[in-house]
Amino acid sequence: MKITLLCALGMSTSLLVERMKKVANEREINVEIEAYSADDIDKHVETANVILLGPQIRYKKNELFKKAKAANTPIEIIDMRAYGSTDGEKVLDQALDLMNYTREE
C-alpha cells in the first residue's frame, strides 16, 4: 500500500510523513508513505493507492483531482488541523479511510 502526500515542494510534509510512518509501525501496517511536490503528480498518480494534498496547495485542487480521477486514484485534501499539528495518526487514518471508502464504492 502506498500513500503519497503532495505539497508545494514535498518538503513541508516530511515531518508529517515520519509521524505517519511511526504510527503505521506501531499498528503493524505495511505501508509506504512518501511526500513529493504537487508538480510531480504525473510521476506518482499511477503508483499511489491514495494521494493526500497539503492544505496549502488547495488552490491546485481542480487540476490535481482531475488527474487523480483519470488514474482512478483516491485523492483528498489533508485535514487542516491535523496537518498544522503534524498529527500522523489522524492523517494516516484519513488515508486509510479514503482507501476503504473507495473500495466499498
Side-chain angles (χ1 to χ4, degrees):
M1 169 177 16
K2 183 175 178 183
I3 299 171
T4 298
L5 277 61
L6 298 177
C7 65
L9 297 173
M11 299 168 77
S12 61
T13 54
S14 61
L15 180 57
L16 182 58
V17 166
E18 292 308 311
R19 290 187 174 180
M20 291 172 70
K21 286 179 178 177
K22 182 180 177 198
V23 173
N25 278 340
E26 289 169 358
R27 294 183 185 175
E28 299 180 0
I29 299 172
N30 185 17
V31 63
E32 180 182 341
I33 307 168
E34 295 183 344
Y36 302 100
S37 164
D39 294 334
D40 293 334
I41 190 172
D42 293 332
K43 296 177 189 171
H44 306 286
V45 72
E46 299 285 342
T47 58
N49 293 103
V50 64
I51 295 175
L52 294 176
L53 304 181
Q56 75 275 31
I57 59 165
R58 174 181 302 267
Y59 65 93
K60 291 187 170 189
K61 178 183 174 186
N62 290 343
E63 169 196 346
L64 300 174
F65 274 50
K66 186 182 292 183
K67 289 182 179 188
K69 185 175 181 180
N72 202 25
T73 303
I75 187 169
E76 197 168 76
I77 296 173
I78 298 171
D79 175 81
M80 178 115 37
R81 281 190 182 172
Y83 187 85
S85 62
T86 59
D87 188 334
E89 183 168 19
K90 217 170 197 178
V91 178
L92 179 63
D93 286 342
Q94 184 180 2
L96 296 173
D97 288 347
L98 183 59
M99 283 191 286
N100 288 335
Y101 175 75
T102 302
R103 284 186 200 143
E104 293 171 1
E105 287 182 352

